[in-house]
Amino acid sequence: MSERKLTRNQQLVLDRLAASGSALTAYDLLDQLRGEGLRAPVQVYRALETLGQRGLIHRIESMNAFIACCAHDHQAAAGFAICDDCGEVAEFAFPASEEGLRSEVGKAGFETRHMTVELHGRCAACAGR
Amino acid sequence: MSERKLTRNQQLVLDRLAASGSALTAYDLLDQLRGEGLRAPVQVYRALETLGQRGLIHRIESMNAFIACCAHDHQAAAGFAICDDCGEVAEFAFPASEEGLRSEVGKAGFETRHMTVELHGRCAACAGR
DNA sequence: CAAAGAAGTGTAATGATATAACGTATGTTT
DNA sequence: AAACATACGTTATATCATTACACTTCTTTG
Ligand SMILES: [Zn+2]
Ligand SMILES: [Zn+2]
Ligand SMILES: [Zn+2]
Ligand SMILES: [Zn+2]
């Protein structure tokens, strides 16, 4: 059987990310969890690694930050729309484009294992509509 | 009038990236250009910034690395297929999927200004075909 | 051409992100 | 209970990127 229960540190990190709703860096998380007894970056990074392997969080490469997954049980790749004005990050799926990208590089014999899709711009709220 | 001529440092960095053909980190570049007189990270980062603004190079977010643009005069967004076995990075265009992504987030009122699209996997050569 | 402004330079220090190494503890399987 | 896998805390270090400052070079324009 798989799916161990999350450990205390893992749960703390996941809960903090989920409560935040936004993307946090490892050091943001460390600062916010010092009150819970976390003291060193490596404790946060270890929790983040496990949570990532289990698909409970995503890493936002262009921000060096992490966010709780809001979809769970991914069939498809995750994309992110990142507002550079307010920092909001919205997760989205893009099944048609995903297939398009996969086949675009597949023509050259490339086997895609993971996609990083991060759109930077301005969210509806910040555009003032 | 725009389009200044590239300075010595900028040309050194661009030439090194173009000659390499692969993605290099700022510190890779610094090491390889010490013989040309470069001494400090900031010299490389400054050149990289200008080159990026002019569209002569791209930053690969998921590698903290930089690569020479092989397309020039981008109408479209750039995507990258990155082989995790050999490190090869291939730039590609994806006009249809690009439009799909843009409209996917556009439904929520998001205005896309820049796309990071990085596909990790295995290249044809490494797959042994 | 000379003055003014914009862009670039080198040096030094620092900040921000991430991992390695070590020995110990805890939980699960047999 | 022994063996194994996973996680722990601590310390140190590696890697990536920027700030600050004083000075120089290039470009524009009066
Ligand atoms: Zn997700
Ligand atoms: Zn916004
Ligand atoms: Zn390009
Ligand atoms: Zn390869």
Side-chain angles (χ1 to χ4, degrees):
Chain A
M1 202 52 67
S2 62
E3 293 312 285
R4 277 171 104 88
K5 192 183 159 200
L6 293 182
T7 66
R8 171 173 157 82
N9 288 358
Q10 291 160 7
Q11 196 68 57
L12 284 171
V13 168
L14 179 58
D15 287 350
R16 196 77 252 319
L17 278 175
S20 156
S22 57
L24 299 177
T25 69
Y27 282 76
D28 288 340
L29 284 162
L30 177 56
D31 285 345
Q32 296 182 19
L33 292 173
R34 283 195 192 280
E36 307 292 340
L38 268 65
R39 296 165 191 283
V42 70
Q43 296 177 287
V44 174
Y45 280 106
R46 285 199 283 231
L48 288 169
E49 178 170 18
T50 303
L51 294 170
Q53 286 167 353
R54 302 208 187 180
L56 300 175
I57 63 170
H58 299 285
R59 176 178 167 85
I60 310 294
E61 298 287 352
S62 57
M63 299 177 75
N64 295 325
F66 302 84
I67 193 165
C69 176
C70 61
H72 284 217
D73 281 349
H74 275 283
Q75 314 295 339
F80 302 91
I82 300 153
C83 178
D84 293 323
D85 289 14
C86 70
E88 185 188 87
V89 178
E91 181 172 350
F92 67 95
F94 49 101
S97 300
E98 177 181 347
E99 188 48 42
L101 288 170
R102 205 176 286 276
S103 76
E104 181 65 41
V105 297
K107 293 187 304 194
F110 188 88
E111 297 170 7
T112 300
R113 292 197 279 235
H114 175 78
M115 290 188 183
T116 295
V117 173
E118 300 172 7
L119 275 47
H120 283 260
R122 193 161 59 158
C123 76
C126 287
R129 299 190 213 154
Chain B
M1 202 54 64
S2 61
E3 291 313 285
R4 277 167 104 88
K5 194 183 159 200
L6 292 182
T7 65
R8 172 174 156 81
N9 287 358
Q10 290 160 6
Q11 195 68 57
L12 284 170
V13 168
L14 179 58
D15 287 351
R16 196 78 251 323
L17 277 175
S20 156
S22 55
L24 299 176
T25 68
Y27 281 76
D28 288 340
L29 285 163
L30 177 57
D31 286 344
Q32 297 181 18
L33 292 173
R34 284 195 192 278
E36 308 291 342
L38 267 67
R39 298 165 189 283
V42 71
Q43 296 177 287
V44 175
Y45 281 106
R46 286 199 282 227
L48 289 169
E49 178 169 18
T50 302
L51 294 170
Q53 285 168 353
R54 302 209 188 180
L56 300 175
I57 63 169
H58 298 286
R59 175 178 168 87
I60 310 294
E61 298 288 353
S62 58
M63 299 177 75
N64 295 328
F66 303 85
I67 192 164
C69 176
C70 60
H72 284 217
D73 280 349
H74 275 283
Q75 313 296 341
F80 302 92
I82 300 154
C83 178
D84 293 323
D85 290 15
C86 70
E88 185 189 87
V89 178
E91 182 173 349
F92 67 95
F94 49 101
S97 300
E98 178 182 346
E99 189 46 41
L101 288 170
R102 206 176 287 275
S103 76
E104 181 65 40
V105 298
K107 292 188 304 194
F110 188 89
E111 296 170 8
T112 300
R113 293 198 279 235
H114 175 78
M115 291 189 182
T116 295
V117 173
E118 300 172 8
L119 275 47
H120 283 260
R122 193 162 58 157
C123 76
C126 287
R129 302 189 212 155

